[in-house]
Structure formats: C-alpha cells, structure tokens
Amino acid sequence: MTFALTSSPPLGQSLYGTLADALRQRILDGEWQPGQMIPSEASLAQRYGVALGTLRQALSLLVQDGVLRRQHGKGTFVSRGLDYASMMRFFRFQSQGGLPVTPESRILQRRLRHPSAQEAKAFQIDLDGQLLQLERLRSIEGQPCLLETIALPLPLFGALADSNTEDWDDLLYPMYQRRCGILVHHARDELKFSQLNAKQASRLQLQTGHPCVLVEREAFDVAGRCVERRTTRGDAFSFTYTAHIK
Amino acid sequence: MTFALTSSPPLGQSLYGTLADALRQRILDGEWQPGQMIPSEASLAQRYGVALGTLRQALSLLVQDGVLRRQHGKGTFVSRGLDYASMMRFFRFQSQGGLPVTPESRILQRRLRHPSAQEAKAFQIDLDGQLLQLERLRSIEGQPCLLETIALPLPLFGALADSNTEDWDDLLYPMYQRRCGILVHHARDELKFSQLNAKQASRLQLQTGHPCVLVEREAFDVAGRCVERRTTRGDAFSFTYTAHIK
DNA sequence: CAGTGGTCTAGACCACCGC
DNA sequence: CGGTGGTCTAGACCACTGG
C-alpha cells in the first residue's frame, strides 16, 4: 500500500516539504508516539513512492524542527519534547557541593478562574471559559529560589484540576504528557528585570523591593498551540545567561 | 585544473566535511572576500572532482556555519559577518517615535595597556604584549544608554591606535573590517545582573547603585580567534530579551 | 548477521535572476 | 536568453547498532 500525497501538485511547495507536512501530521495524530521509532527511510520512501533522497530531505526538515531525532544504525524517533536543561537555562542553581540539581517543587495554591483577554486569545478559549492557575515555589535544599505563576487552559488540563497536588512531580512537562497527553515542544521566554513585591519577597525569603529576574514564558505543543503561560521570578543576583550569536 | 583534496582518505571525516574545510580555508586565506560571490556549484564540483550533490552538502555546512549565504538564481556569497541587529539584541532602545534606532557612539577614553592573564589567554598574546582599551558611551537622542569597555589585541588592531577617534563610525564591527581587515563572525554573550558604581552611574546619568545589566562579550573571527572582549552596562529596567527554546 | 541511517554518484529537470 | 541555485531520481556502497 502506498500513501500517495493527496495534493498531487505541490502548489508552491516542494515535494519534500509536502512530504514533511504529511509525516508531521501523522505524529500530530498520535499515530507515532513520543519516543517511538518510525518506519525506516527505505520503507517510507517506497510507501510514499518517492526517491530515498527526497524522503531524507523531508525527515531532515522535521529533525531541524525538533520533531524527530535520528540515530545512526538504530532508527528515527519521535522527540520527547523539551528537557529539563532547556527549560531552566536562565538561572544557575547548584547544591552546596557545586553540582547542578533539580529544585524541589511545592504547589502553594491551585484555583480555577476565567481568562484575561490576553490569555483567552493565547489559549484560543472563550472569555467565560476556565483555566487552572497554579502558584508554585521551587527550592534547593530547603532554600526557596523560584516563584512561579502558571496558567493552564481547561478542559485540556482537566486531569490536573482534581488530583492531589502533593503527588505531583517536580518536573511539570513530563507530567503534562503522562497525565494529559500534552507534549511541550517549544517555548518562548521573555526576560525582564523587576523588583519583588511584599508577598513575592516573603515567599522567596528576600526583602521587599529586592531585584528579581522576571521570565514570562509561553509554551507550545507540536501543533503550535499555546498550552501553558508561566511567570517565573527569582533573585537577580543568581541569574546568569549565555547566548551564542551567529 | 582540479583541486584534488590532499588528504585522500577522509580519515574519519566524510568527503563533504573535508571539502567544506578546504573551502573554508580558501575564505580564511582571503581568496574569496566578504560579500564576494564564489564560483558556481557546478564548476566547484568539477574542479574538486566530486558529484554535485556532494559539493552541495559541503556548501550547506558552511551556510549553516554562517560563512556563506546562498541566493537562488544569483550565486553563493561569502558572509559579511554579524549585523547590527544580532549585536544589540539584549536592549530594546527606540527613539521618541517608537522606531528602533542605532545609538550614537562617543569614545570617552583610549589607552594602551598590558593584558591580564585572562586576556592574554583569550587573545593568544604574551603577558608583556599590548592591547588597546576603549571606553565608549552610546546614546540615543542625546540620552546616554550604554557604557562599554572594549579590549582589542595589538598589533592586530594597530590601525586604530593612532587614528582620530572623532572620525570613528557608530558601528565598530564594520569599521574593524574596513580598517583592520577583521571580520567578526560570531560572539558569545554572558549576561548578569549588577549595580552601577559611582563613575559608571555618572556617565549613564543614573544613581550610584542603580540596577544594571552586565553583558560580557567575546567576539571571534571566522577562524575562531578571539578578536574582541567587551563589557557593556545598561539600565536593567530598559532591558528585555526574548529567547526561543526548542 | 540483518537492519538502520549516512555518504556519494550521475544525471535530468525546474525556478529564479539579470541582461 | 544563459547562468545560478533548488529539486528529484535510482542506485551503489559504507558505518553503526543490536541480537
């Protein structure tokens, strides 16, 4: 059986571009799950009736996109999404010993509310729809370091609305995938400097007005839908960031 | 005439990788100047005695590297190096009208000194060698916004040691290329949060202790040599940065 | 060893640019 | 129109992985 591409004339799009879209759709549809191996290049080329080189060009697009990973001799795999390192690159926290660690996580508050106009637009939900708002404190060896406010659209994250927050993982993104089937594929972070208000300062055990870094993040799934909005505050003096410019 | 690759067995390196290195060397040697068009793919493939596809793979490496730019229907060109936008991405300055502008530049000080141990290592010069140190203030519509300390190794930048700083351009990197033949190809920026000391504050017309962003940059040429070290300070509250995470 | 992705070839044709 | 890079083909062989 062959999967002839329905749009025979690539309409301003190259064949390998069209092919890449078709393959991306099969991942979006859940036909190939994160971490799973997709069929071999040779078999896909045959099924789609294209040359091997053309199929490889299509795969290369998806690899560059971060949707697929190639492993020489093993196969081509669907990406598992953002990892911890790429999520936490703005703050340099380490234990007493000097090794980088994953901060522990405690949910301070969970409530339902209606979205703001901006949130409704980002999440593509109605103004009278609902979202889940979390306040979360991250600590290292008992020392608070990051304060987060997280907004998640309902009903997408309904599975998190009832479960006991005590049982939640320290890392949310893997949990989103396990409990809600949502894979965070990419994100956009915007950084600014600010100062802590009284409430924020007390939670971070710092002085009111203490300089802080403010990271505003929008996280997206493979289809490009915004699935999370998050504001993170942390001590400005423990902030560091390295950028490579080309 | 053909340019047979001297190292016939690619020794753990693919043919197109070896080819890319050979082509990169011809650019490093100045055989092809920044902005200039290199020979066509077909002619290069013939000269090196490889298939067109293989040569294209080599060029793709250099394009990804930022050394070459392809232009469909026109040719393949040697890159002109970093542009203004990529150099100034951390601060969002705009004129009263709201349009982004290039800050004016004024050299406050220029002097010769010996390098620190760190500088000597970065620039690969001796501890009793010399470097040029600049202090530079950048302003928008007369309002100071960035204070920079710049270190340049001698004798590489000898042409700048004597010339009148009044005649210098607002953008240094194009000037490095024109006056010293040095092309800034990539850079690494490290950001931290800090506070202004008295001298810095007075130059930026802010209060002593005012929060500032500190950007420490090392800039490199195509060969990977460090050619500039620069420290930039600016008002933390006019700082903003957007990062895309994948 | 069989199966996977990676490299390389030789050649045809298309799409864009500028004269 | 001629010259450039971009796409696509069909097939051979190499290099890595794991049983």
Side-chain angles (χ1 to χ4, degrees):
Chain A
M1 172 178 181
T2 63
F3 286 74
L5 295 170
T6 52
S7 52
S8 315
L11 281 168
Q13 169 99 306
S14 57
L15 177 53
Y16 72 81
T18 312
L19 238 180
D21 289 342
L23 295 171
R24 182 188 278 106
Q25 190 56 48
R26 292 178 72 171
I27 295 168
L28 247 52
D29 292 344
E31 183 174 345
W32 297 321
Q33 292 292 316
Q36 192 184 334
M37 179 178 151
I38 71 172
S40 73
E41 299 179 342
S43 72
L44 283 172
Q46 194 183 10
R47 275 159 165 275
Y48 280 100
V50 300
L52 192 58
T54 304
L55 186 112
R56 281 180 56 79
Q57 266 185 294
L59 292 189
S60 294
L61 280 184
L62 299 177
V63 168
Q64 245 192 310
D65 234 55
V67 177
L68 293 179
R69 287 176 302 115
R70 282 202 179 105
Q71 279 185 256
H72 193 169
K74 297 184 71 173
T76 304
F77 300 81
V78 180
S79 165
R80 290 182 186 278
L82 289 185
D83 60 357
Y84 170 70
S86 60
M87 292 155 45
M88 287 287 298
R89 46 216 274 269
F90 293 120
F91 295 90
R92 184 172 294 173
F93 294 121
Q94 44 197 21
S95 69
Q96 304 274 355
L99 294 173
V101 294
T102 305
E104 308 107 47
S105 163
R106 190 159 64 91
I107 304 293
L108 303 180
Q109 192 189 70
R110 172 180 56 182
R111 63 190 184 90
L112 295 178
R113 62 172 174 81
H114 294 297
S116 69
Q118 196 183 25
E119 287 166 334
K121 189 181 169 198
F123 290 138
Q124 303 270 46
I125 60 177
D126 289 333
L127 274 170
D128 57 353
Q130 280 194 312
L131 53 78
L132 200 58
Q133 172 166 312
L134 309 171
E135 195 170 340
R136 182 182 187 230
L137 184 66
R138 313 199 72 182
S139 309
I140 290 178
E141 296 172 355
Q143 176 65 43
C145 57
L146 293 176
L147 183 64
E148 296 179 321
T149 305
I150 300 172
L152 303 169
L154 294 179
L156 206 52
F157 285 87
L160 298 184
D162 308 308
S163 70
N164 188 347
T165 60
E166 300 285 334
D167 302 332
W168 285 16
D169 302 347
D170 280 350
L171 296 179
L172 291 182
Y173 290 177
M175 192 180 77
Y176 293 167
Q177 210 240 304
R178 207 178 58 252
R179 299 208 190 184
C180 309
I182 291 166
L183 187 71
V184 173
H185 171 253
H186 65 280
R188 182 179 59 243
D189 280 355
E190 190 166 312
L191 277 78
K192 292 172 189 164
F193 283 97
S194 181
Q195 292 172 300
L196 296 173
N197 68 25
K199 187 177 165 193
Q200 294 156 357
S202 81
R203 297 206 146 149
L204 287 169
Q205 296 179 15
L206 294 168
Q207 301 289 316
T208 300
H210 187 93
C212 74
V213 174
L214 197 159
V215 182
E216 291 178 313
R217 161 176 299 180
E218 288 192 334
F220 305 86
D221 68 7
V222 184
R225 281 184 310 177
C226 180
V227 296
E228 182 202 62
R229 284 166 58 91
R230 178 189 296 212
T231 299
T232 304
R233 287 181 176 82
D235 180 4
F237 292 106
S238 70
F239 162 85
T240 184
Y241 177 58
T242 302
H244 296 266
I245 305 176
K246 271 213 314 207
Chain B
M1 173 179 182
T2 64
F3 285 72
L5 295 172
T6 52
S7 55
S8 315
L11 279 170
Q13 169 100 304
S14 57
L15 176 55
Y16 71 82
T18 311
L19 237 181
D21 289 342
L23 296 170
R24 182 187 278 107
Q25 190 56 48
R26 292 179 72 172
I27 295 169
L28 247 53
D29 291 343
E31 184 173 346
W32 298 320
Q33 293 290 316
Q36 191 184 335
M37 179 178 151
I38 71 172
S40 74
E41 299 180 342
S43 72
L44 282 173
Q46 195 184 9
R47 277 161 165 271
Y48 281 98
V50 301
L52 192 58
T54 303
L55 186 112
R56 281 180 57 78
Q57 266 185 294
L59 292 189
S60 294
L61 280 186
L62 299 177
V63 167
Q64 245 192 310
D65 235 55
V67 177
L68 294 178
R69 289 175 301 114
R70 283 202 179 101
Q71 279 185 255
H72 195 169
K74 297 184 72 174
T76 304
F77 300 81
V78 180
S79 164
R80 290 183 186 278
L82 289 185
D83 60 356
Y84 171 70
S86 61
M87 292 154 44
M88 288 287 299
R89 47 216 274 268
F90 293 119
F91 294 90
R92 185 173 297 173
F93 293 120
Q94 42 197 21
S95 68
Q96 303 276 354
L99 294 173
V101 294
T102 303
E104 309 107 47
S105 164
R106 189 160 63 91
I107 305 292
L108 302 180
Q109 191 189 70
R110 172 180 57 181
R111 63 190 186 91
L112 296 178
R113 62 170 174 81
H114 293 297
S116 68
Q118 197 183 24
E119 287 166 334
K121 189 179 168 198
F123 290 139
Q124 303 268 46
I125 59 177
D126 289 334
L127 275 170
D128 57 353
Q130 279 194 313
L131 52 77
L132 200 59
Q133 173 167 313
L134 309 171
E135 196 170 341
R136 182 181 185 230
L137 185 67
R138 313 200 71 180
S139 309
I140 289 177
E141 295 171 357
Q143 176 66 41
C145 56
L146 293 177
L147 182 63
E148 296 177 323
T149 303
I150 300 172
L152 304 169
L154 292 180
L156 207 52
F157 285 86
L160 298 183
D162 308 306
S163 70
N164 189 346
T165 60
E166 300 286 334
D167 301 332
W168 287 16
D169 303 347
D170 280 351
L171 296 179
L172 291 183
Y173 289 177
M175 193 180 76
Y176 293 167
Q177 212 241 303
R178 207 179 58 253
R179 298 209 190 185
C180 310
I182 292 166
L183 187 71
V184 173
H185 171 253
H186 64 280
R188 182 181 58 242
D189 280 355
E190 188 166 312
L191 279 77
K192 291 173 189 161
F193 178 83
S194 181
Q195 291 172 302
L196 297 174
N197 68 26
K199 186 178 166 192
Q200 294 155 359
S202 81
R203 298 208 144 146
L204 287 169
Q205 296 178 16
L206 294 168
Q207 302 289 315
T208 299
H210 188 93
C212 74
V213 176
L214 197 159
V215 183
E216 292 178 312
R217 163 175 299 180
E218 287 191 336
F220 304 86
D221 68 6
V222 184
R225 281 184 309 176
C226 180
V227 295
E228 182 201 61
R229 285 165 57 92
R230 179 189 294 212
T231 300
T232 304
R233 287 182 176 80
D235 180 5
F237 298 114
S238 71
F239 163 89
T240 184
Y241 177 59
T242 302
H244 295 267
I245 304 176
K246 272 216 310 208

